[in-house]
Amino acid sequence: MACDAFGISLKNRNHPGYTAVYIEEGGETFHPKDLSEKSFTATVVNSGTSIIRNVTTPTLSEDTVTINGISAVRSMIGTPLKIGDKTIGMLTAQSYQLNSYSNNDRILLEMIAAQGAIALENSRLFAETQQRAEEFSELYEITQDLTTHQNINLLLSLIIQRAAKLLGSRYGSIYIYDETQDQLELAIITGYDPDKGPPSGLRLKRGDGMA
Protein backbone atom coordinates (compact mmCIF):
# COMPACT_ATOMS: atom_id res chain seq x y z
CA MET A 1 0.00 0.00 0.00
CA ALA A 2 1.37 3.40 -0.98
CA CYS A 3 2.11 5.51 2.07
CA ASP A 4 4.03 8.74 1.67
CA ALA A 5 2.33 10.12 4.76
CA PHE A 6 0.64 8.43 7.69
CA GLY A 7 -1.40 9.81 10.56
CA ILE A 8 -3.52 9.00 13.58
CA SER A 9 -6.19 11.53 14.58
CA LEU A 10 -8.33 11.37 17.70
CA LYS A 11 -11.58 13.09 18.60
CA ASN A 12 -11.05 15.63 21.38
CA ARG A 13 -12.72 14.56 24.60
CA ASN A 14 -13.25 17.97 26.21
CA HIS A 15 -13.81 20.34 23.30
CA PRO A 16 -14.96 20.23 19.66
CA GLY A 17 -12.61 19.17 16.91
CA TYR A 18 -9.84 16.63 16.49
CA THR A 19 -6.10 16.32 16.98
CA ALA A 20 -3.68 14.54 14.67
CA VAL A 21 -1.67 12.97 17.48
CA TYR A 22 0.79 11.13 15.24
CA ILE A 23 2.03 12.44 11.91
CA GLU A 24 4.76 10.90 9.76
CA GLU A 25 5.88 11.93 6.30
CA GLY A 26 9.00 11.02 4.38
CA GLY A 27 10.41 9.18 7.40
CA GLU A 28 10.02 12.23 9.65
CA THR A 29 7.53 12.75 12.46
CA PHE A 30 5.89 16.10 13.15
CA HIS A 31 4.20 17.89 16.01
CA PRO A 32 0.48 17.20 16.63
CA LYS A 33 -1.95 19.29 14.61
CA ASP A 34 -5.42 20.57 15.49
CA LEU A 35 -8.15 19.65 13.02
CA SER A 36 -11.61 21.20 12.76
CA GLU A 37 -15.06 19.74 12.14
CA LYS A 38 -14.46 20.38 8.41
CA SER A 39 -11.38 18.16 8.20
CA PHE A 40 -11.04 14.80 6.47
CA THR A 41 -10.85 13.23 9.93
CA ALA A 42 -14.26 14.68 10.84
CA THR A 43 -15.73 13.40 7.58
CA VAL A 44 -14.49 9.86 8.22
CA VAL A 45 -15.47 9.85 11.91
CA ASN A 46 -18.96 11.20 11.22
CA SER A 47 -19.54 8.70 8.42
CA GLY A 48 -18.28 5.78 10.52
CA THR A 49 -16.88 4.16 7.37
CA SER A 50 -13.64 4.17 5.39
CA ILE A 51 -13.28 6.84 2.72
CA ILE A 52 -10.92 7.00 -0.26
CA ARG A 53 -10.39 10.49 -1.65
CA ASN A 54 -8.42 11.83 -4.59
CA VAL A 55 -7.20 15.43 -4.50
CA THR A 56 -7.22 16.76 -8.05
CA THR A 57 -5.87 20.16 -7.03
CA PRO A 58 -2.34 19.56 -5.69
CA THR A 59 -2.44 22.05 -2.83
CA LEU A 60 -2.06 21.44 0.87
CA SER A 61 -5.19 21.95 2.90
CA GLU A 62 -6.68 20.86 6.21
CA ASP A 63 -7.72 17.63 4.52
CA THR A 64 -4.06 16.58 4.46
CA VAL A 65 -2.67 15.40 7.75
CA THR A 66 0.82 16.69 7.15
CA ILE A 67 2.12 20.10 8.20
CA ASN A 68 5.32 20.40 6.22
CA GLY A 69 4.47 18.52 3.04
CA ILE A 70 7.44 17.37 0.99
CA SER A 71 5.05 17.17 -1.92
CA ALA A 72 1.33 17.79 -2.28
CA VAL A 73 -0.87 14.86 -1.25
CA ARG A 74 -2.96 13.67 -4.20
CA SER A 75 -4.84 10.73 -2.70
CA MET A 76 -5.75 9.57 0.78
CA ILE A 77 -7.58 6.82 2.58
CA GLY A 78 -9.07 7.22 6.03
CA THR A 79 -10.47 4.50 8.28
CA PRO A 80 -12.34 5.14 11.54
CA LEU A 81 -10.86 3.96 14.82
CA LYS A 82 -13.67 2.26 16.73
CA ILE A 83 -14.15 0.94 20.25
CA GLY A 84 -17.36 -1.05 20.06
CA ASP A 85 -19.96 1.28 18.58
CA LYS A 86 -17.97 4.39 19.47
CA THR A 87 -15.71 6.06 16.90
CA ILE A 88 -12.74 7.72 18.62
CA GLY A 89 -10.68 8.87 15.65
CA MET A 90 -9.18 8.01 12.29
CA LEU A 91 -6.20 6.20 10.80
CA THR A 92 -5.02 7.59 7.46
CA ALA A 93 -2.50 6.78 4.73
CA GLN A 94 -1.76 9.39 2.07
CA SER A 95 0.09 9.39 -1.23
CA TYR A 96 1.63 11.93 -3.57
CA GLN A 97 0.10 10.03 -6.53
CA LEU A 98 -3.51 10.03 -7.72
CA ASN A 99 -5.60 6.84 -7.49
CA SER A 100 -3.17 5.16 -5.10
CA TYR A 101 -5.75 3.26 -3.03
CA SER A 102 -8.04 0.37 -3.82
CA ASN A 103 -10.59 -1.72 -1.96
CA ASN A 104 -7.82 -4.11 -0.93
CA ASP A 105 -5.99 -1.19 0.69
CA ARG A 106 -9.20 -0.30 2.55
CA ILE A 107 -9.49 -3.84 3.93
CA LEU A 108 -5.85 -3.81 5.05
CA LEU A 109 -6.12 -0.40 6.73
CA GLU A 110 -9.32 -1.45 8.49
CA MET A 111 -7.53 -4.48 9.95
CA ILE A 112 -4.71 -2.22 11.17
CA ALA A 113 -7.22 0.28 12.58
CA ALA A 114 -9.05 -2.44 14.52
CA GLN A 115 -5.85 -3.48 16.27
CA GLY A 116 -4.76 0.13 16.73
CA ALA A 117 -8.05 1.10 18.40
CA ILE A 118 -7.69 -1.75 20.90
CA ALA A 119 -4.11 -0.71 21.68
CA LEU A 120 -5.14 2.94 22.16
CA GLU A 121 -8.02 1.98 24.46
CA ASN A 122 -5.81 -0.31 26.53
CA SER A 123 -3.24 2.47 26.82
CA ARG A 124 -5.94 4.93 27.93
CA LEU A 125 -7.33 2.50 30.53
CA PHE A 126 -3.82 1.84 31.85
CA ALA A 127 -3.15 5.57 32.16
CA GLU A 128 -6.46 6.11 33.96
CA THR A 129 -5.71 3.21 36.33
CA GLN A 130 -2.33 4.71 37.13
CA GLN A 131 -3.94 8.10 37.75
CA ARG A 132 -6.53 6.57 40.10
CA ALA A 133 -3.78 4.74 41.99
CA GLU A 134 -1.86 8.00 42.41
CA GLU A 135 -5.02 9.77 43.59
CA PHE A 136 -5.77 7.10 46.20
CA SER A 137 -2.14 7.24 47.33
CA GLU A 138 -2.36 11.01 47.83
CA LEU A 139 -5.68 10.68 49.68
CA TYR A 140 -4.12 8.07 51.96
CA GLU A 141 -1.18 10.38 52.67
CA ILE A 142 -3.59 13.20 53.53
CA THR A 143 -5.42 10.88 55.93
CA GLN A 144 -2.11 9.94 57.55
CA ASP A 145 -1.23 13.64 57.90
CA LEU A 146 -4.53 14.28 59.67
CA THR A 147 -3.84 11.59 62.24
CA THR A 148 -0.15 12.22 62.88
CA HIS A 149 0.46 15.98 62.82
CA GLN A 150 -0.54 18.20 65.72
CA ASN A 151 0.81 21.51 64.38
CA ILE A 152 -2.17 23.05 62.55
CA ASN A 153 -0.07 25.28 60.28
CA LEU A 154 2.14 22.38 59.21
CA LEU A 155 -0.92 20.20 58.70
CA LEU A 156 -2.64 22.78 56.50
CA SER A 157 0.55 23.26 54.50
CA LEU A 158 0.83 19.52 53.86
CA ILE A 159 -2.84 19.23 52.93
CA ILE A 160 -2.77 22.09 50.41
CA GLN A 161 0.44 20.81 48.80
CA ARG A 162 -0.95 17.28 48.43
CA ALA A 163 -4.34 18.53 47.20
CA ALA A 164 -2.68 20.73 44.57
CA LYS A 165 -0.58 17.80 43.39
CA LEU A 166 -3.61 15.52 43.33
CA LEU A 167 -5.57 17.95 41.16
CA GLY A 168 -2.60 18.86 38.97
CA SER A 169 -2.86 22.50 40.02
CA ARG A 170 -0.05 24.97 40.59
CA TYR A 171 -2.15 27.10 42.91
CA GLY A 172 -4.20 26.33 45.98
CA SER A 173 -5.61 27.87 49.13
CA ILE A 174 -7.42 26.87 52.32
CA TYR A 175 -9.98 29.07 54.06
CA ILE A 176 -11.08 28.46 57.64
CA TYR A 177 -14.65 29.23 58.62
CA ASP A 178 -14.99 31.75 61.45
CA GLU A 179 -18.36 30.95 62.98
CA THR A 180 -18.41 34.06 65.17
CA GLN A 181 -18.06 36.37 62.17
CA ASP A 182 -19.80 34.08 59.67
CA GLN A 183 -16.78 34.54 57.37
CA LEU A 184 -14.08 32.49 55.69
CA GLU A 185 -10.50 33.50 56.55
CA LEU A 186 -7.58 32.67 54.28
CA ALA A 187 -5.32 30.39 56.27
CA ILE A 188 -2.73 29.24 53.75
CA ILE A 189 -1.89 29.46 50.05
CA THR A 190 0.54 27.73 47.72
CA GLY A 191 1.98 28.50 44.30
CA TYR A 192 1.28 32.24 44.33
CA ASP A 193 3.86 35.00 43.99
CA PRO A 194 4.04 36.55 47.49
CA ASP A 195 3.58 40.01 45.97
CA LYS A 196 0.68 39.06 43.69
CA GLY A 197 -1.27 36.41 45.58
CA PRO A 198 -4.18 37.06 47.95
CA PRO A 199 -3.05 38.65 51.25
CA SER A 200 -2.76 36.51 54.36
CA GLY A 201 -5.81 36.87 56.57
CA LEU A 202 -8.11 37.76 53.66
CA ARG A 203 -11.72 37.35 54.72
CA LEU A 204 -14.72 36.52 52.57
CA LYS A 205 -18.33 36.80 53.53
CA ARG A 206 -20.26 33.62 53.04
CA GLY A 207 -21.93 33.86 49.64
CA ASP A 208 -19.27 36.10 48.11
CA GLY A 209 -17.71 34.61 44.98
CA MET A 210 -16.91 30.93 45.42
CA ALA A 211 -17.44 31.30 49.17
Side-chain angles (χ1 to χ4, degrees):
M1 180 170 62
C3 189
D4 295 309
F6 176 82
I8 300 173
S9 302
L10 298 178
K11 190 172 184 178
N12 296 327
R13 300 179 67 181
N14 300 320
H15 57 88
Y18 303 81
T19 300
V21 296
Y22 181 81
I23 306 168
E24 181 175 329
E25 180 185 15
E28 296 185 56
T29 56
F30 300 91
H31 294 295
K33 175 185 179 182
D34 291 330
L35 302 170
S36 75
E37 294 289 346
K38 297 180 180 179
S39 64
F40 182 50
T41 293
T43 301
V44 172
V45 170
N46 291 332
S47 71
T49 60
S50 298
I51 294 176
I52 296 174
R53 176 179 291 179
N54 286 300
V55 182
T56 55
T57 303
T59 57
L60 288 176
S61 68
E62 188 177 20
D63 281 345
T64 59
V65 169
T66 56
I67 298 175
N68 302 312
I70 298 172
S71 180
V73 168
R74 302 301 300 275
S75 57
M76 61 185 76
I77 179 171
T79 297
L81 290 164
K82 293 185 176 183
I83 302 296
D85 295 330
K86 182 180 179 182
T87 302
I88 63 171
M90 178 195 75
L91 196 68
T92 182
Q94 302 181 0
S95 171
Y96 302 149
Q97 304 299 320
L98 280 170
N99 303 310
S100 293
Y101 301 112
S102 66
N103 190 55
N104 287 336
D105 295 317
R106 177 189 62 79
I107 294 172
L108 176 59
L109 197 63
E110 286 177 352
M111 292 174 60
I112 297 173
Q115 296 302 314
I118 293 172
L120 286 169
E121 180 67 3
N122 288 340
S123 176
R124 183 187 66 81
L125 292 174
F126 178 73
E128 289 184 354
T129 300
Q130 279 192 315
Q131 181 180 353
R132 294 293 179 269
E134 292 174 0
E135 290 173 354
F136 281 120
S137 176
E138 290 295 333
L139 289 172
Y140 174 76
E141 293 296 334
I142 291 175
T143 302
Q144 291 296 100
D145 290 339
L146 290 171
T147 59
T148 58
H149 292 284
Q150 302 299 318
N151 185 307
I152 185 65
N153 290 329
L154 176 59
L155 178 59
L156 292 175
S157 177
L158 290 171
I159 289 175
I160 192 61
Q161 289 176 25
R162 294 190 187 283
K165 180 181 179 182
L166 180 64
L167 297 172
S169 174
R170 178 181 174 185
Y171 306 101
S173 58
I174 294 178
Y175 287 78
I176 302 296
Y177 179 59
D178 183 346
E179 187 175 1
T180 62
Q181 300 293 323
D182 193 26
Q183 293 180 335
L184 293 169
E185 181 180 1
L186 179 61
I188 193 166
I189 61 175
T190 186
Y192 291 94
D193 185 317
D195 297 327
K196 298 180 180 179
S200 178
L202 174 68
R203 285 178 171 267
L204 298 175
K205 292 182 180 179
R206 190 166 57 167
D208 287 350
M210 293 184 65

